Amino acid sequence: MKSNPPHTIIGQHLLADLAEIKAEHLRDATATTDLLDQALRRAGFQVLDRILHRFSKGGAGFSAVILLSESHASLHTYPEHGWLAFDLFSCGQQDPQAVLDELAQALEAKILKQSLIARRLCPHSK
């Protein structure tokens, strides 16, 4: 019987739901994305670029994606619910938890749930 080789971990993907955030934070795309940008840099991530999209309907939230040399981070806000979806995929040695903790503290948010997923290469990939 042939055993499968172990999957190679290439990164970690942190997903989090944050709540009880003031609506003004969740509508201010520039300021909130700046908070994330600064937290990423303090944690040692290299920011390459960022894209913002402001919505004009619903609660007038926004989505932001920050391209990192280590992968990406994103925010999706729902001001009408006081809620923010966050993810950070890192292929480097930096700590994604430090970024989440700093962001949550700056926004005075409650972290409802979070999960850290080890991203792995398939043993059959070349």
Side-chain angles (χ1 to χ4, degrees):
M1 178 178 226
K2 185 175 159 184
S3 67
N4 291 328
H7 294 325
T8 302
I9 296 174
I10 61 167
Q12 41 189 342
H13 201 158
L14 178 63
L15 306 169
D17 295 338
L18 287 78
E20 300 179 17
I21 304 169
K22 293 177 184 171
E24 57 264 23
H25 291 308
L26 301 176
R27 288 188 183 104
D28 191 340
T30 302
T32 302
T33 305
D34 285 348
L35 288 172
L36 175 57
D37 187 295
Q38 293 163 12
L40 287 162
R41 291 175 193 274
R42 277 193 279 277
F45 289 91
Q46 183 181 355
V47 175
L48 301 175
D49 202 358
R50 68 190 211 182
I51 298 170
L52 293 174
H53 177 78
R54 293 170 178 88
F55 295 96
S56 59
K57 295 184 180 181
F62 69 91
S63 289
V65 178
I66 297 181
L67 181 63
L68 306 169
S69 65
E70 301 82 12
S71 194
H72 75 274
S74 70
L75 302 172
H76 306 283
T77 71
Y78 299 83
E80 67 274 30
H81 302 295
W83 188 78
L84 180 148
F86 170 77
D87 83 282
L88 173 53
F89 179 30
S90 172
C91 305
Q93 299 302 312
Q94 297 81 355
D95 181 12
Q97 186 67 49
V99 177
L100 174 60
D101 292 344
E102 184 173 335
L103 183 66
Q105 182 177 1
L107 295 174
E108 300 176 26
K110 178 179 176 186
I111 300 171
L112 292 179
K113 64 179 178 177
Q114 68 182 77
S115 59
L116 185 63
I117 302 165
R119 303 303 297 263
R120 302 170 188 272
L121 291 175
C122 174
H124 303 291
S125 60
K126 300 278 182 208

